[in-house]
Amino acid sequence: MTDHTYTLKQLAQGHRPIRIGFFLVPDFPLMTFAAALDSLRQGNRLAKRKAFEWLILSADGGHVKSSSGLGFDADAAISRAPRCDIVILCAGINYADAYDANVFAWLRRIHSEGCVLGAVSTAVFFLAKARLLEGRRCAVHWESLASFRSEFPNCLATDDIFAIDGRFLTSSGGTVTLDMMLYLISAVEGRELAALISDQFNHARIRRQDDVQRMSPEDRFGIRNAKLAFVVRRMEASLGDPVEISDLANSVALSLRQLERLFHTNLGKSPTHFYIELRMTRARELLVYTELAIGEIAEICGYQSASHFGRSYRTRFRENPAATRKAEKLREEPMS
């Protein structure tokens, strides 16, 4: 199973209960861990069945203390951990003290086996250090954002409250972790259960991942049609593995012709053209803000060959990808 073919929908259609491992790094923030864990407990209670199960993991299988001094005994060391559907890493301000080549190798291995990887607060540094987030959008706490971007220029670090990109879920930490977990629960078990959990926690509104810095598709593109907004969200979430336009139409109970008309009426272009523009915008962002090879960018944006990608890019921007990158480097050079 490759990263480009995986979706949370596949996890939703899989076995139950879904097993989630929490990898705790010494001095992890208790609030983020509690928000993640207790949302699952509440989900099981409200669903009246065991939809989720969980276990605590540590590097050596020993006791791990949080930054508040309250600690937990691990259920297993990473070397003996049972297979998990999802592994969520929790780390705090002293994250770098726990860097370990064995942990990075373990993360790469379970990712290659199809595991969904999540990180809250500074745990995103572990995924980046394991070279798993290159070309990926990830949420980083505002306090660590500048240092993260400096250390990992090939990762698309954002100040969104949380980010979902392929099989990676990252939260900027604190109470935002609850919103990320509610997003995950909604994707797996349905929005109704997520809303019930939110109500139980007196959490008045489930925030979107782009709640702070980015506008919704409705605001960004001036969309007022719910079906069109849903399709655009699906497009934005699947740039690396484009969905057939006919499948997008079916997902909102429209014919292909009806969807075409909806796009032309509201956005002035066909669904295919709009989808390509979204992918091209992502490609330009990767060219400007990362040092990824053009072939890698082509793959991340859903193109099977660099040549096909290059032709599409030139059609959209009237220059080739290498020219965009060169122009950006010249722009950044200090004037003499």
Side-chain angles (χ1 to χ4, degrees):
M1 181 181 295
T2 67
D3 198 43
H4 297 297
T5 60
Y6 188 92
T7 66
L8 287 177
K9 185 177 179 180
Q10 289 172 270
L11 187 60
Q13 295 172 342
H15 65 89
R16 291 295 187 279
I18 288 176
R19 179 181 291 159
I20 300 178
F22 290 98
F23 176 73
L24 303 183
V25 175
D27 293 327
F28 67 93
L30 192 57
M31 177 182 286
T32 56
F33 174 54
L37 178 61
D38 217 37
S39 62
L40 302 177
R41 177 199 62 80
Q42 195 70 263
N44 284 350
R45 186 179 78 85
L46 294 171
K48 296 181 171 59
R49 57 186 171 83
K50 192 176 183 181
F52 307 99
E53 63 180 17
W54 52 84
L55 68 158
I56 296 174
L57 306 173
S58 68
D60 60 4
H63 187 82
V64 187
K65 281 188 176 182
S66 70
S67 56
S68 66
L70 183 63
F72 297 87
D73 292 326
D75 296 300
I78 57 175
S79 60
R80 297 186 296 276
R83 186 181 180 93
C84 296
D85 301 295
I86 305 169
V87 167
I88 297 174
L89 289 73
C90 302
I93 58 174
N94 297 319
Y95 62 91
D97 293 344
Y99 277 172
D100 186 328
N102 292 326
V103 172
F104 301 141
W106 169 68
L107 290 172
R108 289 190 291 270
R109 176 176 62 79
I110 61 175
H111 172 259
S112 71
E113 293 171 351
C115 184
V116 174
L117 291 176
V120 298
S121 193
T122 58
V124 67
F125 281 82
F126 279 76
L127 296 183
K129 195 76 173 177
R131 303 191 306 279
L132 292 170
L133 291 181
E134 294 194 349
R136 295 293 184 185
R137 187 175 294 278
C138 52
V140 182
H141 190 279
W142 60 267
E143 191 175 43
S144 304
L145 187 58
S147 61
F148 184 92
R149 284 175 170 165
S150 176
E151 187 174 355
F152 305 108
N154 287 339
C155 301
L156 294 180
T158 78
D159 53 5
D160 291 347
I161 59 172
F162 68 95
I164 312 294
D165 195 333
R167 281 188 284 129
F168 298 97
L169 302 84
T170 50
S171 157
S172 55
T175 60
V176 168
T177 302
L178 176 59
D179 296 283
M180 184 187 80
M181 294 302 295
L182 291 173
Y183 177 97
L184 176 61
I185 291 168
S186 179
V188 173
E189 288 289 329
R191 183 166 179 80
E192 182 178 354
L193 180 59
L196 289 173
I197 297 169
S198 187
D199 281 343
Q200 283 292 318
F201 289 147
N202 293 326
H203 191 57
R205 182 174 69 88
I206 301 176
R207 291 173 287 181
R208 297 188 304 266
Q209 58 184 301
D210 58 359
D211 225 33
V212 174
Q213 296 296 328
R214 301 186 66 203
M215 294 184 293
S216 68
E218 289 90 338
D219 295 330
R220 190 156 62 251
F221 301 111
I223 296 172
R224 294 297 176 263
N225 182 284
K227 290 188 175 183
L228 180 59
F230 180 85
V231 169
V232 170
R233 282 195 176 90
R234 283 201 64 188
M235 287 179 168
E236 290 181 323
S238 58
L239 300 182
D241 182 29
V243 182
E244 294 290 338
I245 303 300
S246 58
D247 290 337
L248 291 172
N250 289 336
S251 71
V252 289
L254 294 176
S255 68
L256 184 57
R257 182 170 295 181
Q258 287 173 321
L259 186 64
E260 293 269 358
R261 187 180 305 120
L262 195 60
F263 266 81
H264 278 291
T265 300
N266 290 273
L267 298 171
K269 59 196 68 172
S270 70
T272 299
H273 188 190
F274 184 82
Y275 211 168
I276 290 174
E277 286 196 347
L278 288 178
R279 293 159 68 193
M280 288 294 99
T281 299
R282 177 67 175 272
R284 192 175 184 88
E285 185 179 35
L286 291 170
L287 285 165
V288 170
Y289 295 113
T290 80
E291 297 178 2
L292 290 171
I294 291 175
E296 293 177 282
I297 294 174
E299 185 180 3
I300 289 169
C301 295
Y303 290 88
Q304 295 183 348
S305 71
S307 59
H308 183 198
F309 166 67
R311 288 193 297 271
S312 295
Y313 192 90
R314 282 192 297 273
T315 299
R316 175 67 181 86
F317 296 112
R318 300 184 182 278
E319 66 180 12
N320 62 41
T324 295
R325 176 162 280 173
K326 182 178 180 181
E328 181 63 22
K329 288 183 177 179
L330 289 173
R331 188 185 69 81
E332 291 180 346
E333 287 180 358
M335 297 180 63
S336 57

